[in-house]
Amino acid sequence: MKRLITALLSAVAVSAFAGTSAMAFDNVHWSWYKTVREHVDIDVDIDINVYPTGLVEVEKLQIFLGNATATSTVHDIHNYQYDPGTHIDFSYCWWNFRIDNSFDARVDLPSVVSAATAVGNNQSITSDVPVFLHDGQFVANTRGNEYCAWCDTVGLVGDGPSYSSTQGGYGGSGNLHTTLAELFTIGAVIGVLTPSDISAYSTVYDIKNATVDSSATAVANNINVSLLSSNPNNHVLIADITQFAYANVTAVSSVCDVHLSDYRNLSPTDTSTAND
C-alpha cells in the first residue's frame, strides 16, 4: 500500500513527506456537536439528545490491488431413478385405467447448487449501539501486476501533512481517504494504475432429474452497516465513507441442458408431471 501511495505522490511531483505509519483517525477532526443548514429549498435543523448505552467507533482503510476471479462449474450430474411402476385407477362408473406413477418433487427431487463470488473489499458491521464510522475502500491494479521499484524514491504518507484540494493545499487536517481518492484518480489518468478485473462465473450443464440453483456475484467495494436495537437512544449512525473502484466487474451465471422426467408437484400449485 505504501509503495502505491508514494508512486501516486511522485506522479504529481509531490516531494517527500515526513510522517509516521500511525494514522488513527488521521486528524479528521470531526465535531459531533454541530448545526447543519442546507440551502436548497428547505432548511434542516438537527437537535437531538440521546443517551446511548454504548458506542462502536471504527477507523478503517481497505486497499485491494490486483485481480479477483471466482469460478464454479458443475456438470454431468445424473440422478438415476428406480422404476416408479404403475397403479390402477379404480372406478365404479368407468373402465379401470393403468396410470404411470411419478415421483413427488417436494421430497424426491435433489438440488444442484453452484455459486461464485468475487469481491475486492467487503465489510459488515452489526451493532445494537450507535456507530461512528470513518471508512475508505479502494480497488485498482498496478501496471502489469509488476513491482514498482521507483516507488521507494519518495516518502510515505502518514499522519503528517497531506495534500487535500478541499483544504486548499497541504495541511495536517485533511481527510486521508479523500486525498487517496484524488491520488488514485490521478494515478488512473496518467497510467500508474490500471483497471482491476473482478469476475465471477457460475456454469451448470448436463443435469438430469435435479433442480439447479446457480448464482454469480462480483463486487468491487461493499459496506453493510446494521443497527439492531429496540432502544431509540441507540439509533444513531454517523459515517464518512469513501469508495474508489478502477475496475472491470463481471458476473455471469449460465445454466443449460437441465432435464426432468416423472416428477409431480414441481410448483406449489402444479400437480402435473414433467416429462423431459
Side-chain angles (χ1 to χ4, degrees):
M1 182 189 79
K2 293 180 178 178
R3 293 193 180 96
L4 172 66
I5 294 172
T6 54
L8 297 178
L9 291 174
S10 176
V12 293
V14 178
S15 60
F17 294 147
T20 66
S21 59
M23 296 182 291
F25 276 81
D26 59 52
N27 297 320
V28 175
H29 296 306
W30 285 355
S31 176
W32 305 112
Y33 300 93
K34 53 178 152 309
T35 298
V36 178
R37 184 173 297 276
E38 180 183 356
H39 296 285
V40 184
D41 293 325
I42 58 175
D43 291 334
V44 179
D45 296 315
I46 301 176
D47 187 6
I48 301 175
N49 293 321
V50 295
Y51 302 93
T53 59
L55 174 67
V56 173
E57 191 169 2
V58 179
E59 159 82 3
K60 184 188 63 61
L61 173 63
Q62 289 180 321
I63 295 181
F64 178 88
L65 299 178
N67 302 317
T69 302
T71 302
S72 175
T73 302
V74 182
H75 60 90
D76 297 329
I77 303 297
H78 297 172
N79 174 26
Y80 293 104
Q81 304 156 304
Y82 64 89
D83 184 359
T86 60
H87 72 273
I88 299 177
D89 184 18
F90 293 96
S91 173
Y92 291 102
C93 299
W94 308 97
W95 292 99
N96 296 328
F97 293 95
R98 184 176 296 275
I99 302 175
D100 291 336
N101 292 327
S102 60
F103 297 98
D104 190 341
R106 296 171 298 181
V107 294
D108 297 322
L109 186 61
S111 177
V112 173
V113 179
S114 174
T117 303
V119 181
N121 292 314
N122 185 56
Q123 173 178 275
S124 180
I125 298 175
T126 301
S127 173
D128 58 358
V129 295
V131 175
F132 293 173
L133 175 64
H134 182 220
D135 197 285
Q137 291 182 326
F138 300 83
V139 170
N141 202 354
T142 56
R143 185 182 304 161
N145 292 313
E146 297 176 354
Y147 170 71
C148 180
W150 57 271
C151 296
D152 293 327
T153 60
V154 295
L156 304 177
V157 174
D159 60 349
S162 60
Y163 178 83
S164 174
S165 61
T166 59
Q167 297 292 329
Y170 293 94
S173 59
N175 187 331
L176 174 61
H177 297 169
T178 303
T179 302
L180 285 176
E182 295 172 354
L183 295 175
F184 268 66
T185 301
I186 295 173
V189 171
I190 66 176
V192 174
L193 295 178
T194 59
S196 173
D197 289 322
I198 300 178
S199 55
Y201 302 95
S202 174
T203 304
V204 182
Y205 63 91
D206 192 14
I207 307 297
K208 290 182 173 60
N209 289 321
T211 62
V212 173
D213 184 356
S214 174
S215 64
T217 304
V219 179
N221 292 311
N222 181 65
I223 294 178
N224 179 66
V225 181
S226 299
L227 274 177
L228 305 175
S229 176
S230 59
N231 185 351
N233 288 297
N234 289 329
H235 295 174
V236 178
L237 171 62
I238 300 177
D240 178 8
I241 298 173
T242 303
Q243 290 181 319
F244 176 96
Y246 185 30
N248 300 314
V249 183
T250 304
V252 177
S253 175
S254 177
V255 178
C256 60
D257 296 330
V258 179
H259 301 278
L260 297 176
S261 61
D262 295 326
Y263 279 96
R264 67 183 185 276
N265 296 324
L266 292 173
S267 70
T269 59
D270 182 20
T271 58
S272 61
T273 302
N275 292 302
D276 289 334

